[in-house]
Amino acid sequence: RAHPGASIEYLETPGVLVEDMLLAKRFDLGLVVHPYHPELIVRDAITTPVYFFVHAAHPLANHERIMPQDLEGVSVHMPGEGFKSFESIRETCKREGVKLGPLSYGAVGYGMYEYVSQNMGVGWGLGLHAKLPIFRSNPKVRCIPSWMTLKAGIGYLRTHVLT
């Protein structure tokens, strides 16, 4: 190993908490989501389209792109409080005068897939999810791009020096 004293701890948590842990010096590095905290230096790692996953029988199934106004009264499955994507969707809809339907919170993946495949509402996901066989192979589930993109990077405190 090039750095025998280094340790890696994997923790999946909302982006806001990752920033808090970096600021509290609990971790040296973390994957953070844009907009980035001003006390962090961030090296961009990924920019990906945000999709909504829609059942083929859902009224939004034939849309080419889902815009905020399309979500009026629609039930959405997405990550919840503390996830910047959730905050961004909620703030955009509020600014546009759009009232979302009931929200379902949970991980993007199998839970969201079940939610959409049972036509309970639409699900939020990223470009990488749209490429997964579970979504691409089911003709009942459509992956429709949205108005949003998600940008994330590796963040660390300005006081740290990476070598």
Side-chain angles (χ1 to χ4, degrees), residues 75-123:
S75 180
V76 181
H77 180 90
M78 63 182 155
E81 300 285 339
F83 287 91
K84 289 185 178 181
S85 53
F86 168 77
E87 300 300 335
S88 177
I89 292 170
R90 189 166 66 175
E91 288 173 18
T92 300
C93 287
K94 183 177 180 182
R95 186 176 57 249
E96 299 282 328
V98 173
K99 183 166 174 44
L100 295 169
L103 300 178
S104 169
Y105 305 114
V108 177
Y110 190 72
M112 185 267 287
Y113 173 79
E114 284 297 312
Y115 186 81
V116 172
S117 66
Q118 294 175 22
N119 202 15
M120 298 169 64
V122 303

Side-chain angles (χ1 to χ4, degrees), residues 31-34 36 42-48 150-155:
L31 184 65
V32 293
V33 176
H34 191 269
Y36 306 131
V42 180
R43 298 193 178 171
D44 290 333
I46 184 173
T47 300
T48 182
L150 183 133
K151 182 172 156 181
I154 304 299

